[in-house]
Amino acid sequence: MEQNNYQGALQYPIGSGFNAKSNSMDLIKGIDLTGKIAIVTGGNTGIGLETVKTLAFAGATVIVPARDIKKAKKNLREINNVEIEEMDLLDPASIDAFADKFLASGRPLHLLINNAGIMWVPLRRDARGIESQLAVNYLAQFQLTAKLWTALKKANGARVLNVSSQGHQFAPFNFDDPNFENREYETLVGYGQSKTAVNLFQSNWIIVQESLG
């Protein structure tokens, strides 16, 4: 019988000292991020918000790009060391504008956490005709990382974290029809292939690094 990793059946402890009850503050304990700059997409809600709280607590300056500035300011109002900027991940021009503004500051970028994503949405497309979950969950983070590449290099040891999920098990990537132009739209299939793409990010990014230098 073929084995699978359902509910972590094939996982085993690695001796990290952390467990299922550990939280973000446990992980950051003893780490000083003073002087470091981080960008966290989706940083004003959910696990993104907790990530921002933790990084800021450790002394990092955290930049949170958000589509809804008013909501972001409300959710982040009690956190120090946070900067809020406008960005819509469904709009490639907005991504470029955000990245260009950061690059113009001349600052290095030590940590880029591509956390934002959408799920369980009706069929929508961006201005290019790309299905929205693929556009937001994968192509947007790839574009943002590429645009910020010079700032990441300037940090001399930057880290890029791409948040995925078990959703990649819902569907492989459909190279023949990624935008559901010739098949019925199923939102979980769209989500699944977007997360499969995120898991393939690393191999694709190696090629981009070589082209960017």
Side-chain angles (χ1 to χ4, degrees), residues 11 15 26 52 55 65 76 88 109 112 116 136 147 149 165 168 177 179 188 193 197:
Q11 294 176 256
D26 295 327
V52 171
L55 295 175
L76 297 165
D88 183 350
L109 177 58
L112 171 60
V136 171
K147 286 289 293 185
W149 178 242
S165 74
H168 72 274
D177 189 18
N179 296 307
L188 283 183
Q193 78 159 1

Side-chain angles (χ1 to χ4, degrees), residues 100-139:
D100 287 341
K101 183 175 181 179
F102 180 83
L103 294 174
S105 73
R107 294 183 290 179
L109 177 58
H110 301 90
L111 184 60
L112 171 60
I113 301 180
N114 290 311
N115 162 76
I118 57 174
M119 180 186 182
W120 208 282
V121 296
L123 178 59
R124 295 182 297 172
R125 304 184 190 277
D126 69 7
R128 301 166 294 184
I130 296 172
E131 189 271 326
S132 63
Q133 293 180 101
L134 179 59
V136 171
N137 297 349
Y138 172 63
L139 293 176

